[in-house]
Amino acid sequence: MKKKAKWMRVKEADDLRKETEAAEKQAEDALKQAKQEARADERPAHRRKEEADNAKRTASELQLKVRKHEQEASAAADKISELEAEVRKQRQELNGLQAESDKWTKTKETYRTKVENLKKNLAQLPPIPDHSARIAEIGEQMQSVREQINHLEGEKGELANSIHAAKMEINRLQAQLRECDSAKYQRLQSLRHKQKGMLSLEDALNWVNQMKQQGRFRGPVAGPLGLDMKVKMPSCAKYLEQATFGQLCNFAVQHKEDADTLSDKFKEMALRANAITITDNASQYTTNSTAHMRDYGVVCSLDEVYDAPPLVKHCLANMCNLGNVLVVNHDDTDRVKQLMDEQRVRQVYTPQRIVNFIASAYGGREDASLSISGLNAAAGQILGGGAADVEERKTELQSQHSRAQGRLQELEQQAAAIDAQVQPLDQQLQELQAERQQLGQEVQQAHRQRSTMQSQIKKGLDYIARLESQPDPMSKAPRLQQQLAKALDAHYKCLCKQLKATEDQWQALEQHAAADLTSRELDMQAKAMAAAIAARRSTVNSLELALRTAQQVAKNARDSHKRLKEEATHEYALTADDKELFQKMPDDREELDEMIQGMEAEVAGISVNNPRVVEEYRKRQQEIQKLEAELQTLRNMLETAKAQIESLKASWQPELERVVGLINDSFSTNFAQIGCAGEVLLGKSEDYDKFSIQIKVKFRENEQLEMLTAHRQSGGERSVSTILYLIALQGVTVTPFRVVDEINQGMDPINERKVFMQLVDASCQEGTPQCFLLTPKLLPDLPFTEDITVLNIFNGGLIAEQAAGQYSREALFGTKNLAALQGVRVVG
């Protein structure tokens, strides 16, 4: 029974194979018939397309002819307008000759009368007054008054110089008084008088300050050192002054050149001061603390007693070793010796004495001795403040200041007395000047009146002579009549020329209308036939897809039949007895399957050692069959999907390649017209998302075609490539309008002119959309046709209304060119 069931499935697969092969044959026949019909339709369509193109070219040629005749008629119309204006002008001149002649005669008579009246008035004028004697007398009086004033002004000038000198002296004395009140000044005076050879110290300080202001030193200069020291602990000022007394008048520098300069100057001034060079870093200074010595009674070191600039601190530390000189608050010699031994201190100041550590030249510190001396009673008067001679100097300066004030008041009173004498003299001088000016004006007025009338008489006589030298305006009439006759004759000829051009234009318009109608009709027929061909191609593509699907289904059916037959032959080979046995069995496969299941149930009831052997065998056999069926199904699905992909690819890829080919042809032609090379390719890939348009360009003869990228070409080359690619797209895309924004700004003038002409040609063809070119400026002398309208935008609050006429169409393009700018469509 299983053998018959197996062979029944083989028979069913064979029937299915025959059906699918018949369907495959039917699909092949249908595809063949569709291809034959498509080829039959393509030849008439190509012929009709060629006829439509020829008709379109004829219509374009006729349109150019129409434009030519229109331009001829327009030029004749412009010439007629010019001649009409000339005729009107000459007629107006002829009509105005008589009036001009009458005006010429009347003007001569008017000026003759005016000249006679002026001569009479000139004869009646009074004689010019003679004030020369009085003017000379006034001049002598003014000279005498000026001499008196100058003498007084000279005396006043001398007084002014004396007053100025007195004020300067008072200011100097006041400054010196302020200096006497200054603590720093008092210290400077103490240094001058307390040390020998220091009287010129003040002059030296002034010279140093002047050199600093002029930038004459190479580095910082400090000094005298005593002026830059500020004592923080007044009770220790006497110790500090006694320890540094020999250094207070010295100066500190950082460069040897500055030290040499100071030394030379000090010798010149007989000043016993030194310039000490400090090589340490004088920009900062650190004072060591003595807080750890408080148990010894140490109050501070002398380095802690005062503040000063770092350069001064370094100088005194190097010269006096102030950090190793201590001040204690007791006079216990033993404690002082212990301090000096343990802390290695060389000098200590007690309230009453000075203790010095004296080391032995032959032994160590244990062989050293102490030297004790008394304090200087006068110490502390310099750094501690106070100087009696300053008070004496202040008293003397105040006395000098009082005398200077009295002298200034006396001089100012003398100057006021001179001013009182000058004032009446000034008033007398002004009165004399006014009288002389009035007399002079009377004489000048008389001369001016006579001179004016004489000048008017001369101008009148000159004008009359000029009028009489000119011919009578009526003498121009014959010449103007001849010019008028010539203008009328030229006007008539231009009218005839315009009429002829208009007739030729009308004939060309009729021919163009007929050719355009024929072109449109053929174009519509060609488009209809192209649409029919496209429909045929779509049908062919659908039939090709159906054929591939039928072929795949037939192949699957043949493979299934072959597989089932091989399995049946291998498992259940037919014998001669099988046919008789098959006839005894049911022919219905469902009934046969039920009988097989019943017998399998009987077999399952047979007792065996392993009751699950048969069940496991059947289960595994079913799993194998299921997996084989699934595998075959997946294979069939894969083949079907591949066939569908190829069918879909065939429906769009050829058309895409055709469109890219059209773009490439236009792009290559556009590039060839500007003397370069370019091509557009379709970039293919197994991943359809990676399909791309590849643009290759070449701008120089010695180069190869290179891919257009943002880095390989210049900005101008990319702009040219972009606009030429957009122009190439116009033949394969449909849009209501196009906008190009400032594409010409990166181009050189040659390429910009070529690209502009190509853009105009491409945008002015029939059936193309409206195109807008936005740009801040264009090259001069670009070609413009009737299909172009130029729009200039003027906006903003700074554009005055009275300037609007400067930017009118007439001002920008001229009256003659306006006819060529009457708009059809906007290109730029």
Side-chain angles (χ1 to χ4, degrees):
M1 290 183 183
K2 287 186 177 181
K3 182 183 288 187
K4 183 175 181 179
K6 190 70 172 180
W7 282 102
M8 287 180 70
R9 284 195 292 273
V10 173
K11 181 64 171 60
E12 293 174 356
D14 187 52
D15 293 339
L16 178 61
R17 176 185 61 78
K18 291 177 181 179
E19 292 178 3
T20 56
E21 288 177 349
E24 180 182 4
K25 183 64 172 61
Q26 184 178 0
E28 289 178 353
D29 295 340
L31 177 60
K32 184 177 180 181
Q33 179 66 24
K35 287 184 176 180
Q36 291 176 353
E37 293 176 354
R39 283 193 295 271
D41 291 341
E42 285 178 355
R43 286 189 293 274
H46 286 313
R47 287 196 298 273
R48 192 56 49 85
K49 181 68 169 58
E50 291 177 357
E51 293 173 358
D53 292 340
N54 293 332
K56 185 178 293 185
R57 282 193 294 273
T58 302
S60 299
E61 293 173 357
L62 289 171
Q63 187 177 13
L64 292 176
K65 189 175 181 181
V66 170
R67 291 176 181 173
K68 177 182 176 183
H69 291 311
E70 184 180 1
Q71 291 175 356
E72 292 175 353
S74 177
D78 292 342
K79 185 63 176 177
I80 289 170
S81 299
E82 293 177 2
L83 290 172
E84 288 177 350
E86 184 178 353
V87 168
R88 285 193 299 269
K89 178 182 177 181
Q90 291 174 355
R91 284 177 175 170
Q92 289 174 359
E93 288 183 3
L94 281 172
N95 295 333
L97 283 179
Q98 185 61 48
E100 187 177 351
S101 178
D102 295 340
K103 182 180 179 182
W104 176 71
T105 303
K106 185 178 180 180
T107 302
K108 289 194 298 182
E109 295 299 328
T110 301
Y111 268 84
R112 285 194 181 99
T113 304
K114 186 176 180 181
V115 168
E116 292 298 328
N117 293 333
L118 287 172
K119 288 180 178 179
K120 292 178 182 180
N121 293 334
L122 179 61
Q124 295 174 359
L125 287 176
I128 299 174
D130 185 10
H131 299 308
S132 57
R134 178 56 184 162
I135 291 175
E137 181 182 356
I138 292 174
E140 293 176 357
Q141 294 178 0
M142 290 176 63
Q143 180 65 25
S144 176
V145 172
R146 284 198 184 97
E147 291 177 356
Q148 297 178 34
I149 292 175
N150 292 336
H151 177 71
L152 294 174
E153 289 292 343
E155 294 180 357
K156 183 179 178 181
E158 294 177 356
L159 288 174
N161 293 333
S162 300
I163 290 172
H164 177 71
K167 289 181 178 180
M168 293 294 293
E169 179 66 15
I170 290 172
N171 293 334
R172 184 183 65 80
L173 293 172
Q174 289 176 346
Q176 291 180 356
L177 285 171
R178 286 192 297 271
E179 289 177 354
C180 289
D181 293 334
S182 169
K184 194 170 185 179
Y185 178 78
Q186 293 179 5
R187 183 177 296 180
L188 176 62
Q189 297 306 320
S190 298
L191 289 173
R192 290 177 62 232
H193 297 288
K194 295 295 183 181
Q195 296 195 19
K196 295 181 180 181
M198 297 298 174
L199 293 178
S200 58
L201 182 62
E202 184 176 358
D203 296 334
L205 177 60
N206 294 333
W207 177 81
V208 169
N209 291 333
Q210 183 179 1
M211 293 285 286
K212 287 181 179 179
Q213 292 175 359
Q214 296 175 358
R216 303 284 294 276
F217 292 119
R218 290 193 57 189
V221 176
L225 301 180
L227 294 185
D228 294 328
M229 298 168 64
K230 182 179 179 181
V231 178
K232 298 187 294 184
M233 303 172 65
S235 61
C236 298
K238 57 184 179 179
Y239 307 139
L240 179 63
E241 182 177 330
Q242 187 163 350
T244 62
F245 186 78
Q247 304 295 332
L248 294 180
C249 293
N250 292 336
F251 289 74
V253 298
Q254 276 196 292
H255 293 275
K256 186 177 183 302
E257 292 85 347
D258 295 339
D260 294 341
T261 301
L262 290 174
S263 298
D264 293 341
K265 187 64 177 178
F266 293 164
K267 289 180 181 179
E268 178 184 340
M269 301 175 70
L271 182 68
R272 298 176 62 183
N274 298 319
I276 302 171
T277 303
I278 303 300
T279 59
D280 299 335
N281 182 11
S283 61
Q284 57 184 0
Y285 180 84
T286 302
T287 301
N288 296 323
S289 175
T290 57
H292 61 285
M293 303 181 190
R294 295 289 183 262
D295 293 340
Y296 297 102
V298 175
V299 177
C300 61
S301 68
L302 291 185
D303 198 26
E304 296 176 296
V305 171
Y306 73 102
D307 285 333
L311 180 60
V312 176
K313 297 284 282 189
H314 277 286
C315 181
L316 292 176
N318 292 343
M319 301 303 295
C320 302
N321 196 13
L322 297 181
N324 201 24
V325 179
L326 304 181
V327 178
V328 298
N329 55 8
H330 59 83
D331 289 314
D332 189 341
T333 304
D334 294 335
R335 291 182 64 188
V336 171
K337 185 176 185 305
Q338 180 184 3
L339 169 63
M340 300 179 78
D341 289 338
E342 295 178 359
Q343 299 298 328
R344 294 182 176 275
V345 178
R346 73 173 186 84
Q347 190 176 40
V348 175
Y349 281 83
T350 70
Q352 300 297 330
R353 296 181 296 225
I354 303 174
V355 181
N356 292 302
F357 182 85
I358 301 175
S360 174
Y362 304 98
R365 290 187 65 89
E366 61 275 6
D367 297 328
S369 62
L370 297 181
S371 172
I372 301 175
S373 61
L375 292 173
N376 186 355
Q381 293 182 0
I382 297 176
L383 298 181
D389 55 348
V390 173
E391 291 299 328
E392 294 177 1
R393 178 172 173 76
K394 184 175 180 181
T395 301
E396 181 182 355
L397 289 173
Q398 287 174 347
S399 175
Q400 294 177 5
H401 182 267
S402 299
R403 289 194 298 272
Q405 287 282 4
R407 176 62 177 164
L408 177 61
Q409 291 177 1
E410 181 182 350
L411 293 173
E412 288 177 347
Q413 290 173 1
Q414 293 177 7
I418 291 176
D419 287 337
Q421 295 177 14
V422 170
Q423 185 174 2
L425 293 175
D426 282 336
Q427 184 175 359
Q428 182 181 357
L429 181 62
Q430 291 175 4
E431 291 174 355
L432 292 172
Q433 287 177 340
E435 183 180 356
R436 187 176 66 174
Q437 184 177 5
Q438 182 178 1
L439 295 175
Q441 287 177 354
E442 291 178 2
V443 175
Q444 290 177 359
Q445 178 66 24
H447 281 291
R448 190 182 302 111
Q449 189 174 9
R450 287 179 176 274
S451 177
T452 301
M453 295 181 69
Q454 291 172 353
S455 176
Q456 291 176 352
I457 292 171
K458 184 177 183 304
K459 288 181 179 178
L461 293 173
D462 292 342
Y463 187 69
I464 292 171
R466 190 164 57 252
L467 288 176
E468 290 178 346
S469 65
Q470 297 175 356
D472 190 343
M474 288 301 295
S475 62
K476 300 178 182 178
R479 180 177 57 81
L480 290 176
Q481 289 173 354
Q482 291 178 0
Q483 292 178 355
L484 178 60
K486 290 181 181 179
L488 289 172
D489 183 60
H491 182 264
Y492 172 75
K493 291 179 180 178
C494 284
L495 283 173
C496 295
K497 186 176 181 181
Q498 183 188 26
L499 180 61
K500 178 65 171 59
T502 304
E503 291 176 353
D504 293 341
Q505 180 185 2
W506 177 253
Q507 292 177 1
L509 281 172
E510 289 182 341
Q511 296 173 1
H512 173 263
D516 186 60
L517 182 61
T518 302
S519 172
R520 292 177 185 273
E521 182 179 357
L522 291 174
D523 187 58
M524 291 178 64
Q525 293 176 2
K527 288 181 179 179
M529 296 177 75
I533 291 173
R536 291 281 189 189
R537 288 177 179 171
S538 177
T539 302
V540 169
N541 292 335
S542 300
L543 291 175
E544 287 178 347
L545 177 61
L547 175 60
R548 286 193 290 271
T549 303
Q551 289 174 345
Q552 186 63 37
V553 172
K555 180 177 179 302
N556 294 340
R558 285 193 292 270
D559 294 342
S560 178
H561 171 259
K562 181 179 179 181
R563 179 178 55 79
L564 290 174
K565 187 175 181 180
E566 289 176 354
E567 291 178 356
T569 303
H570 178 72
E571 296 178 3
Y572 306 103
L574 290 175
T575 63
D577 298 333
D578 289 338
K579 295 183 178 180
E580 296 180 0
L581 293 174
F582 288 170
Q583 291 178 356
K584 296 179 182 180
M585 298 178 187
D587 293 331
D588 186 9
R589 213 173 82 178
E590 292 182 358
E591 183 178 353
L592 186 62
D593 290 338
E594 290 179 358
M595 292 178 64
I596 291 172
Q597 291 176 0
M599 295 180 69
E600 287 177 347
E602 293 179 0
V603 171
I606 299 175
S607 176
V608 292
N609 293 331
N610 187 0
R612 296 180 57 84
V613 170
V614 176
E615 181 180 354
E616 291 179 359
Y617 170 75
R618 291 174 179 172
K619 183 176 180 182
R620 290 181 180 178
Q621 190 176 26
Q622 291 175 359
E623 290 179 355
I624 291 171
Q625 293 176 354
K626 181 179 178 182
L627 292 174
E628 288 177 348
E630 290 179 355
L631 177 61
Q632 187 61 34
T633 301
L634 292 175
R635 287 174 177 171
N636 295 340
M637 292 173 63
L638 177 61
E639 295 297 329
T640 302
K642 288 182 177 180
Q644 291 177 351
I645 289 174
E646 291 299 326
S647 175
L648 292 174
K649 184 177 179 181
S651 66
W652 58 265
Q653 183 169 333
E655 179 64 17
L656 178 60
E657 292 175 347
R658 184 186 70 82
V659 172
V660 173
L662 294 175
I663 296 174
N664 178 54
D665 294 341
S666 177
F667 187 74
S668 300
T669 302
N670 294 339
F671 254 86
Q673 291 180 359
I674 66 172
C676 302
E679 64 179 5
V680 179
L681 304 175
L682 178 63
K684 301 178 182 179
S685 174
E686 295 182 358
D687 186 356
Y688 295 103
D689 290 338
K690 295 182 179 179
F691 268 50
S692 61
I693 293 294
Q694 299 176 353
I695 301 177
K696 294 184 177 181
V697 295
K698 182 179 77 171
F699 287 91
R700 283 161 284 277
E701 294 183 358
N702 57 351
E703 293 182 352
Q704 300 295 327
L705 288 171
E706 297 286 346
M707 191 74 69
L708 181 64
T709 64
H711 308 288
R712 178 65 178 82
Q713 291 80 17
S714 65
E717 292 172 347
R718 293 198 300 272
S719 299
V720 171
S721 305
T722 301
I723 190 61
L724 294 182
Y725 179 72
L726 294 176
I727 293 174
L729 288 179
Q730 292 195 160
V732 297
T733 58
V734 179
T735 57
F737 63 88
R738 292 184 173 90
V739 178
V740 181
D741 185 17
E742 297 189 13
I743 193 65
N744 61 322
Q745 293 308 296
M747 302 180 189
D748 59 273
I750 297 176
N751 286 335
E752 182 179 351
R753 187 175 297 277
K754 294 178 179 179
V755 168
F756 179 83
M757 295 176 65
Q758 291 196 24
L759 180 61
V760 170
D761 293 340
S763 302
C764 293
Q765 296 178 4
E766 293 291 335
T768 57
Q770 192 176 26
C771 182
F772 296 87
L773 173 61
L774 308 178
T775 177
K777 72 177 187 65
L778 289 173
L779 293 175
D781 302 327
L782 290 175
F784 293 92
T785 66
E786 290 182 348
D787 295 330
I788 299 175
T789 295
V790 179
L791 301 178
N792 292 279
I793 300 174
F794 301 96
N795 193 13
L798 298 179
I799 297 181
E801 296 180 358
Q802 58 268 27
Q806 300 177 8
Y807 306 105
S808 63
R809 293 168 64 85
E810 291 80 1
L812 289 171
F813 305 105
T815 305
K816 295 181 179 180
N817 297 328
L818 284 178
L821 296 174
Q822 299 302 320
V824 177
R825 286 175 298 136
V826 176
V827 173

